[in-house]
Amino acid sequence: MKLDRKEILKALERITVAGEGKNMVESGAVTNVVTFGDEVVVDLLLHTPAMHIKKRAEDDIKKTIAEFINADAKVKVNIKIEASDKPEIKGKAIPGIKNIIAVASGKGGVGKSTVTANLAVTLAKMGFAVGVLDADIYGPSMPMMFDVENEKPISIQIDGRSKMKPIESFEVKILSIGFFTSPSQAVIWRGPMASKALNQMIFDADWGELDFMLIDLPPGTGDIHLSIMQSLPITGAVVVSTPQAVALADAKKGVAMFMQDTINVPVLGIIENMAYFTPEELPENKYYIFGKEGARNLAADLEVPFLGEVPIVQSIREAGDYGRPAALQTGSVIEKVFENITRNVVQEVVSRNESLPATEAIKITTMAGCSAVKK
């Protein structure tokens, strides 16, 4: 097999890199093409450190060469990220915290908090140091899910400054607005008050050394989400959805929020919750109550990783209500389900950190939107 470099370049002119406006050859994104027998090596230079753009460019190159040059060609794509000269902000990182993962959902009631709690305890079981920030100001549920509803964070002195000490449960450090209000008290705050409370729990707390901080975001795409992304450089986002069409429509908006050029937080993947129901007496049967593989198909459509599916199991609900996350049930199906999903999340974080620069926190500049600016 003999591959012609000029023909390959001509074929690559069919591909446009997202946000460039020109084909990848004309824009200079393709810096070199080398052929060795049946092998093709394409060197690509991108100016946008978004994971989905990188993956799409690589996939497009492989598909185009297979379709227009030779289906048997072995294609390798080397991608280098070179950030543009536009001003950017590194963000106010929390010392000692290596990775910050936002867990979001476009729609309420899809089990986002339950998934967050079980991811946290599974990470802790794997030996990681883990913290959870309950950013759902108006509906905090972490105190109940970790059986610490009656606990109150104490104040400690760190380097002469007063800091909150997070509550610990099942080897997970937790802070939530639920610790500072009574269970029957409604939090009736405007956006600025909610944002200030979140900033206090983020920066006025002694989180110590953490491998992962999970942020349980409220449903939707609103003020709290912007406040978090404005305050912290988020490593990546995980979106939770059920297979139901109504939930998927909102999950799609959640993914789109993180992928916006002005926000640009890598989406680590989508988790499908309530994927199917299996009766205990019929362990081989699966009933797709809310639809089949909706979130899996959405992940494929959006070209983001599918992290796994969580079945409808009564013990998950019971464990959450009793304050002992279901993933702690040794030898159970749920333990294995969350172990697989958590491994996928960790792998995506590792891949993201190896291939992309640190995420930039955003700064709100106008009421119309956001922009990245340098401090």
Side-chain angles (χ1 to χ4, degrees):
M1 180 192 304
K2 188 175 180 180
L3 300 171
D4 190 291
R5 181 176 180 275
K6 290 182 179 178
E7 289 183 3
I8 294 170
L9 283 169
K10 191 172 182 63
L12 294 179
E13 289 178 356
R14 301 170 183 268
I15 307 171
T16 301
V17 178
E20 294 285 347
K22 301 177 180 178
N23 72 64
M24 61 171 50
V25 177
E26 185 184 1
S27 68
V30 177
T31 58
N32 197 19
V33 173
V34 182
T35 61
F36 305 95
D38 63 346
E39 294 184 8
V40 181
V41 179
V42 179
D43 292 332
L44 200 63
L45 179 66
L46 298 180
H47 298 289
T48 304
M51 187 178 293
H52 66 286
I53 291 178
K54 175 187 171 185
K55 184 177 184 301
R56 178 179 166 185
E58 183 176 356
D59 290 345
D60 285 347
I61 289 171
K62 291 180 178 179
K63 289 175 184 175
T64 300
I65 292 176
E67 183 177 351
F68 295 100
I69 304 299
N70 194 310
D72 296 323
K74 299 174 183 175
V75 182
K76 182 180 180 184
V77 182
N78 297 321
I79 299 180
K80 181 181 177 182
I81 305 295
E82 187 177 276
S84 62
D85 293 331
K86 69 180 181 180
E88 291 181 338
I89 182 172
K90 187 68 179 174
K92 190 179 178 183
I94 307 176
I97 299 181
K98 296 176 183 175
N99 300 286
I100 302 174
I101 299 175
V103 184
S105 68
K107 185 174 176 59
V110 298
K112 168 186 51 59
S113 296
T114 299
V115 168
T116 303
N118 283 284
L119 284 176
V121 296
T122 304
L123 284 167
K125 282 168 61 181
M126 291 178 174
F128 294 108
V130 187
V132 172
L133 173 65
D134 189 354
D136 195 348
I137 292 290
Y138 305 109
S141 51
M142 288 302 154
M144 176 182 286
M145 290 189 171
F146 281 90
D147 194 23
V148 286
E149 287 178 280
N150 298 319
E151 300 288 335
K152 299 291 180 187
I154 62 171
S155 177
I156 57 175
Q157 292 293 316
I158 303 291
D159 297 327
R161 290 187 60 194
S162 181
K163 294 262 188 177
M164 281 184 286
K165 184 179 180 181
I167 301 298
E168 290 196 38
S169 180
F170 306 118
E171 299 183 17
V172 176
K173 294 180 180 179
I174 309 157
L175 273 181
S176 167
I177 199 66
F179 292 137
F180 306 101
T181 59
S182 67
S184 59
Q185 180 183 349
V187 179
I188 310 172
W189 290 348
R190 293 189 183 274
M193 289 182 66
S195 299
K196 184 177 180 181
L198 279 174
N199 276 331
Q200 286 184 311
M201 289 193 290
I202 293 169
F203 297 112
D204 293 342
D206 177 32
W207 289 101
E209 298 287 329
L210 293 181
D211 296 304
F212 293 94
M213 172 186 275
L214 304 184
I215 302 181
D216 183 29
L217 291 171
T221 55
D223 194 50
I224 299 299
H225 304 75
L226 287 175
S227 295
I228 288 289
M229 290 183 286
Q230 182 185 6
S231 300
L232 292 171
I234 307 295
T235 306
V238 170
V239 176
V240 180
S241 179
T242 64
Q244 191 176 7
V246 173
L248 294 170
D250 289 337
K252 190 173 183 178
K253 295 173 186 174
V255 173
M257 172 185 69
F258 291 112
M259 284 185 171
Q260 282 190 47
D261 289 340
T262 49
I263 291 177
N264 205 18
V265 170
V267 177
L268 302 174
I270 297 176
I271 297 173
E272 183 172 271
N273 194 26
M274 308 182 201
Y276 57 85
F277 170 67
T278 297
E280 190 174 349
E281 62 276 11
L282 298 169
E284 301 303 317
N285 290 24
K286 290 183 179 180
Y287 298 95
Y288 297 92
I289 298 172
F290 296 110
K292 186 176 181 181
E293 298 183 346
R296 183 189 292 271
N297 294 333
L298 177 64
D301 290 343
L302 298 177
E303 297 182 334
V304 298
F306 180 69
L307 300 171
E309 54 187 23
V310 182
I312 300 174
V313 178
Q314 185 174 338
S315 64
I316 296 179
R317 192 273 304 165
E318 291 175 341
D321 288 349
Y322 291 136
R324 194 176 193 278
L328 294 170
Q329 298 169 5
T330 305
S332 67
V333 172
I334 295 306
E335 181 190 41
K336 294 176 183 175
V337 164
F338 277 106
E339 279 181 356
N340 289 333
I341 291 174
T342 306
R343 284 195 193 99
N344 290 337
V345 171
V346 172
Q347 183 57 56
E348 290 300 327
V349 171
V350 171
S351 299
R352 175 255 178 276
N353 288 341
E354 287 177 349
S355 61
L356 294 177
T359 302
E360 310 299 344
I362 62 173
K363 184 171 182 179
I364 311 304
T365 57
T366 70
M367 291 299 289
C370 327
S371 67
V373 297
K374 197 168 192 93
K375 248 183 182 175

